[in-house]
Amino acid sequence: SRAGQDLRTGVVWSVSSWRSADDPSPGDFRYVMDTRGSPELHVWRNGSKRYRTGPWNGLRFSGCPDMTTFEDLVEFRFTHTADEVSFVYRDRVGSPVSRLVLNESGAMQRMVWDGALWRVFWSGPRDQCDIYGACGPFGVCNAVGAVMCGCIKGFIPSSPAEWRMRNASGGCARSTVLQCGGGDGFYTLRGVKLPETHGSSVDAGASLAECGRRCSSNCSCTAYAASDIRGGGTGCIQWFGELMDTRFVDDGQDLFVRLAMSDLHLETTKTSKLVVIIAAVITAFALLLLSLGLVIWRKIRQRSKQVTNFDDMVRGECLTYHLETLRDATDGFCPKNEIGRGGFGIVYKGQMEDGQEVAVKKLSAGNSVQGLKEFKNEVDLIAKLQHRNLVRLLGCCIHCSERILVYEYMSNKSLDTFIFGMYDVS
Ligand SMILES: *[C@@H]1O[C@H](CO)[C@@H](O)[C@H](O)[C@H]1NC(C)=O
Ligand SMILES: *[C@@H]1O[C@H](CO)[C@@H](O)[C@H](O)[C@H]1NC(C)=O
């Protein structure tokens, strides 16, 4: 069967439903080709539009992505010339018989005879989103969304109270008035069945880029899209008023919707907000690293300062001995004068020139760094706790990496252990 119109004679080819399954007289439903704008099939019930297939996009009707799934069985031919607009189909050679039926409840059904019975390969309307105008002007229907109806970006529900009650047929209104001139831009609504085109202008010869320029330069153009999706999209459909009956579909088309720049920038603002947040986080992190580095650097400096201060202290406050003096006192650090070993050094018994007996503690050279710290601790501690029960520090000697402490020598063994103990405990 054929649907369409002979444009010369005005003859319309349409299909009516049966009144009922066993009454072939014309029923309530009829499908006709709407030849205005970009032609498409409409199902009418008495005087009201119930379903539209969406305009032919070169491969299929825009709202019927599943038509392509049985192209191997049925060949579709869409003709749009100055003489006629028509849609016909033919079973492919060797394929089972098929037919397009408008059943008595107003559904279009593509039936294929499988040898025993008629199988429904395709039917429309497929869901609530296919019911004409489900989400009203500038609404967009999402059959798999938690909420079926939404507004196109840049639009808000015309009647929020009605929308809350899930009556979206009032549609949406622009949230910001168009500036016209250079003040507008286009938002790409992806993957949709194109809105109704009967008020739109169609130029199959224009490129999509040219289409964008035309729409951009005409203030009353509200949206544009390619009229043929083949080859990345060619041809031009321009809408000049409401965008009616738009829905998301698989393999849907891009629709470029005119918005005021400020509405377009909502997205950009969001993005730049994100950029600001990321920048803030990075800055905070960098600052943290910096202050951590500063703390570490100050610690290191403090430590080296401590060492310097300590050297000053040792040189300034302690009685310092020359290495030669101590060498003489201990017979050149002779092993026979060794009276003990600690973790960080060896202690020798020595005798000064004036006859005073001393204990000379020589820190191991290999441990000079750690020994220096221990050295400071020991000098600090002993200097502070000059006490008659403690061995008395007489002085010290620093010579290159040599660190030497000179104590009063006491024969009491427990005090010897104290000297070594200082190191052995740590
Ligand atoms: C008409 O077709 C639709 C879609 O296939 C189906 O759900 C419905 O039951 C059919 N109605 C009748 C009366 O056969
Ligand atoms: C804008 O487009 C409409 C519809 O095609 C047309 O009538 C009108 O002249 C155009 N305006 C301009 C400024 O081109």
Side-chain angles (χ1 to χ4, degrees):
S1 67
R2 175 161 58 169
Q5 190 174 3
D6 184 324
L7 297 176
R8 288 163 309 177
T9 62
V11 170
V12 170
W13 306 295
S14 70
V15 173
S16 288
S17 65
W18 286 15
R19 182 140 299 281
S20 72
D22 45 17
D23 179 359
S25 64
D28 291 342
F29 298 95
R30 206 159 80 96
Y31 75 74
V32 294
M33 183 74 78
D34 187 341
T35 57
R36 297 166 300 171
S38 186
E40 57 177 302
L41 291 176
H42 285 177
V43 172
W44 289 79
R45 175 178 207 163
N46 298 326
S48 70
K49 199 179 303 175
R50 192 178 130 81
Y51 166 63
R52 45 183 285 271
T53 57
W56 186 260
N57 63 19
L59 295 176
R60 54 179 181 263
F61 290 111
S62 167
C64 310
D66 40 356
M67 275 177 79
T68 35
T69 60
F70 50 90
E71 260 179 335
D72 54 333
L73 300 178
V74 184
E75 183 192 349
F76 304 112
R77 184 172 305 154
F78 186 85
T79 309
H80 189 186
T81 64
D83 291 342
E84 74 169 67
V85 180
S86 66
F87 172 68
V88 293
Y89 59 87
R90 200 168 35 202
D91 299 329
R92 289 193 189 275
V93 177
S95 288
V97 185
S98 83
R99 61 196 177 113
L100 187 62
V101 172
L102 182 65
N103 75 11
E104 55 273 30
S105 42
M108 292 171 81
Q109 290 176 303
R110 166 69 57 187
M111 318 276 268
V112 176
W113 182 251
D114 74 355
L117 50 89
W118 289 101
R119 282 186 183 281
V120 179
F121 260 66
W122 171 86
S123 73
R126 294 177 299 159
D127 51 39
Q128 285 300 304
C129 281
D130 266 347
I131 302 301
Y132 179 76
C135 300
F138 298 112
V140 57
C141 195
N142 183 356
V144 294
V147 176
M148 196 174 88
C149 287
C151 291
I152 295 176
K153 179 189 160 73
F155 294 81
I156 50 174
S158 307
S159 168
E162 293 276 309
W163 273 66
R164 264 200 299 281
M165 298 311 289
R166 298 286 186 264
N167 178 9
S169 56
C172 307
R174 203 174 278 285
S175 52
T176 308
V177 175
L178 291 176
Q179 300 290 297
C180 200
D184 303 333
F186 288 89
Y187 164 68
T188 309
L189 183 61
R190 298 193 188 282
V192 295
K193 165 184 172 178
L194 294 182
E196 191 163 45
T197 62
H198 65 218
S200 61
S201 85
V202 181
D203 179 356
S207 71
L208 188 56
E210 171 59 20
C211 193
R213 279 192 291 276
R214 283 184 197 171
C215 187
S216 183
S217 62
N218 188 328
C219 278
S220 46
C221 177
T222 48
Y224 71 94
S227 59
D228 191 322
I229 62 170
R230 288 173 296 185
T234 58
C236 180
I237 308 177
Q238 285 175 272
W239 284 262
F240 295 99
E242 291 178 339
L243 301 175
M244 188 62 172
D245 200 42
T246 312
R247 67 163 296 178
F248 291 111
V249 286
D250 293 338
D251 275 332
Q253 243 177 287
D254 289 349
L255 175 69
F256 304 91
V257 182
R258 188 188 212 104
L259 291 185
M261 268 313 174
S262 58
D263 285 343
L264 262 182
H265 284 167
L266 282 180
E267 200 163 84
T268 333
T269 314
K270 250 183 230 159
T271 330
S272 54
K273 243 181 211 160
L274 196 73
V275 167
V276 166
I277 290 171
I278 289 173
V281 166
I282 289 174
T283 311
F285 192 67
L287 278 176
L288 192 78
L289 279 181
L290 201 74
S291 50
L292 209 73
L294 209 70
V295 165
I296 290 173
W297 179 72
R298 284 183 61 169
K299 270 251 160 70
I300 289 172
R301 260 197 51 164
Q302 233 166 38
R303 185 161 297 171
S304 62
K305 224 179 193 163
Q306 268 172 12
V307 169
T308 325
N309 287 347
F310 164 65
D311 285 349
D312 292 349
M313 188 270 278
V314 164
R315 289 198 189 94
E317 293 175 7
C318 268
L319 176 58
T320 47
Y321 292 94
H322 284 291
L323 187 61
E324 290 311 313
T325 316
L326 299 178
R327 196 170 275 156
D328 289 349
T330 57
D331 295 334
F333 302 105
C334 180
K336 80 169 165 54
N337 288 334
E338 194 180 307
I339 51 173
R341 279 170 187 270
F344 285 90
I346 307 167
V347 182
Y348 303 88
K349 188 185 170 185
Q351 190 164 31
M352 299 307 234
E353 270 187 327
D354 60 1
Q356 188 186 15
E357 290 191 314
V358 291
V360 178
K361 185 168 184 173
K362 192 171 170 228
L363 300 183
S364 354
N367 284 320
S368 62
V369 174
Q370 200 168 1
L372 195 64
K373 189 175 159 226
E374 297 300 330
F375 192 58
K376 171 195 160 42
N377 288 343
E378 186 156 354
V379 172
D380 275 355
L381 189 68
I382 296 169
K384 275 180 199 149
L385 301 176
Q386 291 289 4
H387 188 278
R388 63 193 156 95
N389 290 334
L390 289 176
V391 78
R392 200 148 72 89
L393 181 71
L394 297 175
C396 49
C397 169
I398 296 173
H399 185 86
C400 297
S401 61
E402 299 272 23
R403 300 275 188 272
I404 301 170
L405 289 168
V406 182
Y407 299 93
E408 201 173 42
Y409 179 79
M410 301 183 94
S411 49
N412 190 333
K413 280 284 172 211
S414 67
L415 288 179
D416 289 347
T417 23
F418 167 74
I419 297 171
F420 311 124
M422 286 296 291
Y423 284 151
D424 294 343
V425 164
S426 58

